[in-house]
């Protein structure tokens, strides 16, 4: 009986030891499993951090860097590599570079429908970017389609082009690099690959200086151009294929038209007339004036605003069309002043 009892005790002790060993083995297996999971997470985090720096799409790169950061945060330890990847991604998110120029950039605008981003350089190069499918696009270089012509750049280093208010057209003034001759061309924004249409001016017409679209609220939808002999020509945009250049106004002194614009409310067209070496003589030929037409109602002669010996440029209307502003250069002190006109009184 004593022998049997001793055997039972031994067996029980063996069972306890085996159970303890099993518990230890289970703990070790769980530890190994946790280590494997942790190492797998570390590998994933490191991979995400590295990939975030290689992805070309900046938005996607930031999202991947944030994923690595959040995974590290759950682990309770954010590695230096993850911190570096997130800082690097966010530091570069100060704007997406979309166009590269060999000359200084001079002008940028969006079309009214926010689809087209139009940018220009001081050498007359123009690039158009289609934003309808996000930021992964290749800009269309308009001036590469016809190497003999470039967009004209005025004395203020601004490229002469304009996007239409209905976002259908992009018009500009071109210069023939070989001959120096200039003219007006226009693209259909939805079919830029088709190239430009040349809008003919009358034979013998002077060189165009300024181009502008009228507002859609105007009585007539025009593309207008001011020439260096004081002429203003318009084209009817409602029937461009059949439209011809119509003479809207001719300055009797032959002063140039370096600035021309329409008010957003469709009521006004404004032209600046400056004397040139070729201007004719006579009283008033040496004065700089601004002419204002009521084109919506088409009543009366243009309103003459004497600029009193100053030159004025960079005119712009307020969004409502109530105000007109521009910079004037006053002689003889050559002081640059910002001038403002109330369009209801032109004062």
């Amino acid at each position: 009986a004593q022998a049997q009892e001793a055997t039972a005790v031994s067996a029980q002790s063996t069972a306890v030891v085996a159970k303890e060993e099993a518990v230890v083995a289970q703990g070790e297996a769980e530890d190994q499993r946790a280590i494997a999971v942790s190492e797998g997470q570390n590998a994933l985090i490191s991979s995400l951090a590295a990939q975030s720096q290689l992805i070309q799409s900046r938005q996607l790169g930031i999202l991947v860097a944030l994923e690595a950061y959040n995974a590290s945060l759950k682990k309770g330890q954010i590695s230096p590599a993850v911190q570096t990847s997130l800082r690097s991604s966010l530091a570069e998110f100060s704007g997406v570079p979309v166009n590269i120029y060999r000359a200084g950039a001079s002008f940028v605008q969006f079309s009214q429908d926010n689809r087209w981003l139009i940018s220009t350089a001081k050498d007359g190069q123009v690039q158009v970017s289609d934003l309808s499918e996000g930021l992964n696009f290749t800009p269309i270089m308009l001036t590469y389609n016809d190497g003999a012509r470039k967009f004209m750049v005025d004395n203020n280093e601004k490229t002469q082009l304009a996007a239409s208010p209905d976002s259908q057209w992009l018009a500009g003034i071109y210069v023939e690099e070989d001959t120096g001759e200039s003219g007006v061309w226009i693209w259909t924004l939805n079919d830029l690959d088709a190239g430009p249409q040349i809008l003919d001016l009358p034979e013998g017409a002077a060189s165009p200086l300024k181009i502008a679209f009228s507002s859609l609220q105007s009585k007539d939808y025009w593309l207008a151009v001011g020439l260096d002999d004081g002429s203003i020509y318009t084209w009817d945009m409602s029937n461009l294929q059949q439209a011809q250049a119509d003479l809207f106004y001719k300055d009797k002194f032959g002063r140039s038209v370096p600035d021309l614009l329409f008010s957003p409310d469709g009521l006004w067209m404004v032209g600046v007339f400056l004397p040139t070496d070729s201007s004719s003589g006579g009283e008033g030929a040496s004065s700089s004036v601004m002419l204002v037409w009521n084109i919506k109602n088409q009543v009366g002669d243009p309103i003459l605003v004497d600029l009193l010996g100053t030159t004025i440029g960079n005119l712009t209307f307020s969004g409502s069309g109530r105000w007109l502003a521009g910079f004037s250069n006053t002689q003889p002190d050559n002081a640059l002043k910002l001038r403002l006109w109330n369009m209801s009184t032109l004062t």
Side-chain angles (χ1 to χ4, degrees):
Q2 290 180 350
Q4 290 177 349
E5 184 177 353
T7 300
V9 171
S10 177
Q12 186 177 6
S13 298
T14 300
V16 170
V17 171
K19 184 176 180 180
E20 290 176 349
E21 290 176 347
V23 170
V24 171
Q26 182 179 1
E28 291 177 349
E30 290 177 350
D31 290 342
Q32 291 298 322
R33 189 160 44 248
I35 292 172
V37 170
S38 178
E39 289 178 349
Q41 290 175 338
N42 289 336
L44 176 61
I45 291 170
S46 298
S47 176
L48 289 172
Q51 290 178 33
S52 69
Q53 304 304 295
L54 301 176
I55 296 173
Q56 291 184 350
S57 170
R58 295 178 185 268
Q59 292 91 337
L60 182 57
I62 289 177
L63 291 175
V64 173
L66 284 172
E67 186 68 23
Y69 180 85
N70 289 332
S72 295
L73 197 61
K74 289 180 180 179
K75 288 194 63 181
Q77 182 178 4
I78 301 173
S79 69
V82 170
Q83 295 181 34
T84 300
S85 68
L86 184 58
R87 288 196 186 100
S88 177
S89 297
L90 291 175
E92 294 178 351
F93 199 65
S94 58
V96 180
V98 294
N99 296 21
I100 299 175
Y101 287 100
R102 293 188 296 272
S106 62
F107 176 74
V108 62
Q109 75 170 106
F110 290 95
S111 60
Q112 289 293 320
D113 62 359
N114 297 315
R115 176 180 176 182
W116 304 99
L117 175 62
I118 303 154
S119 54
T120 71
K122 294 179 181 179
D123 62 355
Q125 182 187 147
V126 173
Q127 298 186 24
V128 180
S129 304
D130 186 354
L131 305 180
S132 61
E133 297 183 0
L135 298 179
N136 294 320
F137 52 75
T138 301
I140 301 169
M141 300 185 183
L142 298 187
T143 45
Y144 285 0
N145 292 335
D146 189 343
R149 296 185 178 121
K150 294 287 186 182
F151 279 87
M152 189 191 84
V153 180
D154 63 21
N155 293 332
N156 295 318
E157 297 186 333
K158 184 175 181 180
T159 305
Q160 279 305 305
L161 84 167
S164 64
D166 59 4
S167 303
Q168 298 299 310
W169 308 96
L170 179 66
I173 298 173
Y174 68 82
V175 177
E176 297 275 2
E177 290 194 317
D178 296 335
T179 65
E181 295 181 356
S182 56
V184 178
W185 53 3
I186 189 168
W187 275 262
T188 302
L189 280 170
N190 288 322
D191 191 15
L192 291 170
D193 291 336
Q197 174 186 347
I198 303 299
L199 299 181
D200 293 323
L201 287 164
E203 185 176 354
S207 300
L209 298 178
K210 184 69 176 182
I211 196 164
F213 282 99
S214 68
S215 167
L216 291 176
Q217 299 183 51
S218 301
K219 182 177 180 180
D220 297 298
Y221 182 24
W222 288 338
L223 172 65
V225 62
L227 309 187
D228 67 0
D229 68 348
S231 302
I232 297 176
Y233 283 90
T234 63
W235 288 268
D236 181 3
M237 294 303 298
S238 65
N239 187 21
L240 185 61
Q241 297 301 323
Q242 303 297 324
Q244 295 183 350
D246 294 321
L247 180 61
F248 178 83
Y249 181 79
K250 178 69 169 70
D251 181 53
K252 63 181 180 180
F253 298 116
R255 293 170 293 195
S256 66
V257 188
D259 214 348
L260 182 69
L261 70 163
F262 295 86
S263 64
D265 59 6
L267 186 59
W268 306 105
M269 181 172 79
V270 176
V272 174
F273 293 79
L274 301 181
T276 66
D277 293 338
S278 60
S279 299
S280 64
E283 185 179 356
S286 61
S287 63
S288 303
V289 299
M290 184 169 68
L291 296 183
V292 181
W293 288 268
N294 185 324
I295 59 170
K296 191 167 187 177
N297 300 323
Q298 294 185 349
V299 293
D301 294 327
I303 302 168
L304 187 148
V305 179
D306 195 333
L307 299 179
L308 303 176
T310 68
T311 58
I312 195 161
N314 295 309
L315 288 172
T316 185
F317 274 103
S318 63
S320 65
R322 177 182 178 185
W323 301 97
L324 175 67
F327 285 102
S328 67
N329 196 339
T330 306
Q331 300 296 334
D333 57 353
N334 206 32
L336 192 65
K337 298 179 180 179
L338 176 63
R339 293 182 178 270
L340 183 67
W341 290 269
N342 185 329
M343 293 307 295
S344 62
T345 60
L346 281 176
T347 57

